[in-house]
Amino acid sequence: MTSGRRTVLLCDCARSMSIDVDRVRAALPGAEIGPVRTTLCRNDTDAYLLALRAGGEVVVACTQEAPLFRELAEEAGADDRVSFVNIREKAGWCADKAAAGPKMAALLAEATVAPTPAAIHTTRSEGMCLVYGRGQQALEVAQSLNGRLAVSLLLTDADGLVPPSVAEVPVYRGRIVKAAGSFGAFEITVDGYAPLVPSSRDAAAFVMPRDGAQSQCDVILDLSGDTALFPAPDHRDGYFRVDPNHPAAVAKAMFEITDYVGEFEKPVYVDYDADICVHSRNRIVGCTNCLDACPAGAISDMGDTIAVDPGICGGCGSCSASCPTGAVNYRYPRREDLIARIQVLVSTYLAAGGTRPVLLFHDARRGAELIAAMARFGRGLPVNVLPVPLHAVTELGHDILAAAFVTGVEQIVALVDPERADEVLPLETQATLVRSVLQGLGHDADRVTLLVEADPDAVETALYGLAERKPLPAAGISAVGGKRDIGRAAIGRLRETAPQQPDVIALPDGAPYGRIVVDQDSCTLCLACVGACPMGAILDNPDKPQLRFQENACVQCGICRNTCPEDAITLEARFDFTPNALSQTVIHEEEPYACLRCGKPFGTKKTVDRIVERLQGKHWMFQSSATADLIRMCDDCRVIAQSEMGDNPFKMGERPKVRTTDDYLEAREAGKDLTVDDFLDD
């Protein structure tokens, strides 16, 4: 195999689209681009086999016949060297076929960006299945699954149930009041739990019901028709919730659940860095964004930190998008890999002569189905709309959106499945933040659209109806560092070419950029906020009574505000472009108080004067001016002054005289014998 070799095979699919080979060659200068085939999957398969034998990576510009090409590659022992790119539904089959060349080139170039694989979470299932439902239907389903799975049946209602003549599956009655866990390790709690009486004749009878019964299983088939046992049930692997009145859905679930036996792998969608988490400090809660955003309940509050259960996590990415620090970090794909894809896609499109690029982020499965339907039965995607498939569009944070605009994107559309409409709030929050940035820089703010739609005709109408916006200058951005590094860099690059270049722009409440404002009259410089700030944005000065602040480190988590005993802190969301944001500035200081005795500064004048005012003559310990002066002294001088007072609390009685040998001798000469009692008396 020739190292680094890449061959791209193009096919116009029986002349149903037009392919500009010159644009493709320009977009992929290091690749071997052969002539455009007409039926690569049929009469021209020899060209494909020849490319496999030549070695190196083979890119096939077709996804419809991918199964056939994979089979041929397996026979040739080269299945690990083949990849596929859909240029037909995404580009070639559209209303303006002649203008689709730049997009085809961009799609092929994007495919060269290899993402870093995510870590893998492994789950083991022994096929222990709980069927949860009502009456005869649930029993028949359980009996049908038995043999393929180890089935137990829990009935919420036994009306109409004919007791089975052969006990193929254990049957119980009860209602699940609590469910936890994930695929391979579900845990349930049942009230009214009672086994079927074997002697049941014409009607099912159950005996000895009890509450709080607990059990475990690997998979659950929920035919109860009641409220789902878990939040966001579609995200919970191994949990099948089906409408019992929908026979086709029941049959589909029965078919799918039988495959849930064995060892399974899924990506670890997010990782977590507790060191930069700003959830809580010292039991004072600040940020709860990830907990609020997770629809599946995969994130748990662990006190000052959180924990993500990879077995429950479905990869929606809302937690990562909402996290102000990047402590919860999406890995499928990584932030830097996604930005690299966008850069290659947009830059290639513009270099190939494309104009007005619009990014269409969509869920890989559902979005692809809509795009295919538009291409087959409608006008297809507009030639300037560049599709970017994702595991979930809700993974998009403001950092990625801002970085996309830096590359020269005119608009961004996030296509959301209506079934996920209740999960879109975190994404809307991120979009609102980016709109605020664009507006503050003098751009049209309405450049990010959330399209919650499943009708291909409606999606097509919306995309063709996008109002033209003034193009944004294209620039490069290095996706290096964490979420905040990339976000600040992208926003800074947008300002460099913006119509307006203000020093500071206002942002909506909850934005992860901003400063704190301290009420000068209320603050006592107790410095509780300094110890509480998890990002080190608030600092003290060991030499002066000062409170200092570094704005670029602040994430607006609110822990300082919630910690302050005087309620002296408020948050102000904004973005400061000046160098002041990178340096420590004094936000509150007081005149130091000089010790009345030695002159050494200690505390603040305002605080000492306030204490004297409240205590002198009003507290029994500070009735005189001399005792009140103790408040005006430093720690050392206060002790010395107290020792000099007439009622010195440190004064001790006279030390007892020490008896020596001379004392004994003198007493003996005087005719007196000393005893132990003489020592005690003295």
Side-chain angles (χ1 to χ4, degrees):
M1 184 174 80
T2 304
S3 176
R5 177 172 182 162
R6 175 180 289 113
T7 302
V8 178
L9 300 178
L10 303 173
C11 179
D12 61 14
C13 198
R15 298 186 177 85
S16 61
M17 56 182 175
S18 176
I19 299 179
D20 190 332
V21 181
D22 292 335
R23 290 187 189 275
V24 174
R25 287 199 176 101
L28 302 171
E32 296 183 14
I33 313 297
V36 177
R37 307 291 175 173
T38 299
T39 53
L40 184 63
C41 60
R42 296 295 183 266
N43 297 335
D44 297 320
T45 53
D46 288 345
Y48 172 68
L49 296 174
L50 182 62
L52 292 178
R53 288 193 291 269
E57 180 184 354
V58 178
V59 180
V60 180
C62 172
T63 54
Q64 175 177 292
E65 298 297 329
L68 170 64
F69 290 122
R70 287 196 182 97
E71 182 180 345
L72 294 175
E74 289 176 2
E75 294 176 356
D79 52 303
D80 60 334
R81 296 191 281 109
V82 181
S83 59
F84 305 90
V85 181
N86 183 357
I87 66 171
R88 188 180 67 179
E89 281 84 358
K90 292 183 177 181
W93 283 0
C94 66
D96 191 1
K97 297 180 181 180
K103 188 200 288 193
M104 290 184 183
L107 293 172
L108 289 166
E110 179 203 6
T112 64
V113 180
T116 302
I120 296 298
H121 173 73
T122 303
T123 299
R124 179 73 187 177
S125 169
E126 302 295 338
M128 296 176 60
C129 173
L130 174 68
V131 175
Y132 182 52
R134 304 171 185 272
Q136 190 66 25
Q137 179 197 35
L139 175 61
E140 292 177 358
V141 169
Q143 290 173 332
S144 298
L145 292 175
N146 191 46
R148 298 176 177 84
L149 300 171
V151 181
S152 295
L153 173 62
L154 181 62
L155 296 170
T156 60
D157 188 341
D159 289 349
L161 179 70
V162 177
S165 57
V166 178
E168 298 180 42
V169 299
V171 180
Y172 307 90
R173 186 177 63 189
R175 186 168 294 275
I176 298 176
V177 295
K178 181 180 179 182
S182 58
F183 172 47
F186 287 114
E187 299 177 354
I188 61 169
T189 302
V190 182
D191 280 355
Y193 175 81
L196 177 67
V197 177
S199 61
S200 298
R201 186 176 179 181
D202 58 340
F206 298 85
V207 65
M208 299 180 63
R210 62 187 177 95
D211 294 341
Q214 295 182 335
S215 185
Q216 297 179 338
C217 59
D218 295 320
V219 291
I220 300 175
L221 177 55
D222 186 352
L223 303 174
S224 66
D226 296 335
T227 302
L229 300 178
F230 303 97
D234 291 343
H235 288 300
R236 189 78 55 139
D237 294 335
Y239 175 61
F240 295 79
R241 179 172 177 260
V242 184
D243 182 355
N245 298 316
H246 195 315
V250 173
K252 180 181 178 183
M254 292 174 62
F255 177 77
E256 292 179 355
I257 201 170
T258 56
D259 290 332
Y260 278 59
V261 181
E263 191 169 89
F264 296 82
E265 294 180 343
K266 64 180 288 189
V268 177
Y269 296 107
V270 299
D271 59 17
Y272 172 64
D273 183 356
D275 291 339
I276 58 174
C277 178
V278 294
H279 168 54
S280 174
R281 284 297 183 274
N282 303 318
R283 298 185 180 181
I284 302 296
V285 176
C287 174
T288 60
N289 288 358
C290 62
L291 290 163
D292 297 337
C294 180
I299 303 179
S300 303
D301 186 341
M302 304 299 290
D304 284 352
T305 61
I306 57 98
V308 182
D309 188 332
I312 298 176
C313 177
C316 73
S318 294
C319 55
S320 175
S322 302
C323 180
T325 66
V328 182
N329 193 19
Y330 202 71
R331 312 297 287 176
Y332 192 71
R334 299 189 307 169
R335 178 180 295 105
E336 50 268 41
D337 289 341
L338 178 55
I339 292 175
R341 281 176 54 196
I342 294 171
Q343 286 182 312
V344 170
L345 182 69
V346 178
S347 62
T348 303
Y349 173 79
L350 293 173
T355 59
R356 297 186 54 214
V358 174
L359 285 186
L360 174 64
F361 291 107
H362 64 87
D363 292 346
R365 183 186 64 81
R366 189 73 182 100
E369 292 173 355
L370 291 175
I371 291 172
M374 292 161 53
R376 291 177 178 275
F377 305 108
R379 292 176 287 175
L381 288 177
V383 292
N384 66 321
V385 173
L386 308 176
V388 181
L390 301 172
H391 178 71
V393 296
T394 44
E395 73 182 67
L396 296 171
H398 73 276
D399 50 327
I400 296 173
L401 298 175
F405 281 118
V406 171
T407 65
V409 171
E410 180 184 298
Q411 297 186 63
I412 294 174
V413 178
L415 180 59
V416 181
D417 190 337
E419 294 181 0
R420 302 284 187 266
D422 57 344
E423 303 172 14
V424 81
L425 180 59
L427 176 58
E428 177 59 45
T429 301
Q430 297 299 303
T432 299
L433 173 55
V434 174
R435 295 187 191 111
S436 298
V437 171
L438 293 173
Q439 185 175 27
L441 297 176
H443 291 297
D444 296 325
D446 192 18
R447 292 176 182 261
V448 183
T449 302
L450 269 59
L451 184 57
V452 183
E453 188 58 69
D455 182 355
D457 292 333
V459 174
E460 182 180 282
T461 300
L463 294 177
Y464 277 93
L466 291 174
E468 185 172 353
R469 305 294 180 188
K470 184 178 180 181
L472 295 177
I477 180 172
S478 179
V480 177
K483 177 177 183 175
R484 290 182 62 77
D485 300 318
I486 295 173
R488 294 192 71 92
I491 294 173
R493 292 303 299 271
L494 286 174
R495 179 179 178 270
E496 293 176 3
T497 57
Q500 301 173 14
Q501 297 182 346
D503 289 338
V504 179
I505 58 175
L507 296 177
D509 291 341
Y513 307 100
R515 65 175 181 174
I516 64 171
V517 179
V518 176
D519 186 329
Q520 306 291 313
D521 295 330
S522 300
C523 178
T524 62
L525 281 177
C526 70
L527 304 181
C529 55
V530 174
C533 179
M535 300 302 293
I538 310 175
L539 309 99
D540 64 345
N541 187 335
D543 300 321
K544 296 180 181 179
Q546 282 184 346
L547 196 63
R548 296 181 294 169
F549 179 71
Q550 186 167 330
E551 186 163 337
N552 75 317
C554 179
V555 299
Q556 300 282 285
C557 66
I559 292 180
C560 60
R561 176 191 58 196
N562 299 340
T563 299
C564 180
E566 308 296 341
D567 294 328
I569 297 177
T570 56
L571 306 180
E572 181 185 348
R574 68 176 199 169
F575 197 97
D576 187 348
F577 294 94
T578 69
N580 292 335
L582 306 178
S583 59
Q584 298 176 10
T585 58
V586 177
I587 58 175
H588 183 51
E589 65 179 329
E590 297 282 352
E591 179 185 349
Y593 194 89
C595 174
L596 190 66
R597 187 181 181 107
C598 70
K600 182 179 71 174
F602 78 99
T604 67
K605 186 177 185 304
K606 184 173 73 173
T607 300
V608 174
D609 289 344
R610 182 181 299 176
I611 295 174
V612 172
E613 179 185 352
R614 292 183 179 181
L615 296 181
Q616 185 173 10
K618 301 175 183 178
H619 192 279
W620 67 270
M621 291 181 62
F622 303 99
Q623 292 297 313
S624 67
S625 60
T627 54
D629 283 346
L630 293 175
I631 303 174
R632 300 184 176 96
M633 298 180 190
C634 66
D635 293 342
D636 295 336
C637 291
R638 189 177 301 124
V639 174
I640 296 173
Q642 284 180 299
S643 69
E644 295 172 349
M645 291 181 177
D647 56 348
N648 177 16
F650 305 108
K651 185 177 180 180
M652 302 174 63
E654 292 185 7
R655 183 175 180 181
K657 183 180 179 180
V658 178
R659 297 289 185 178
T660 66
T661 301
D662 291 338
D663 294 326
Y664 281 96
L665 295 175
E666 291 177 1
R668 183 173 299 175
E669 291 177 359
K672 181 180 179 182
D673 291 330
L674 294 178
T675 67
V676 175
D677 293 336
D678 294 313
F679 287 96
L680 297 177
D681 291 341
D682 291 339

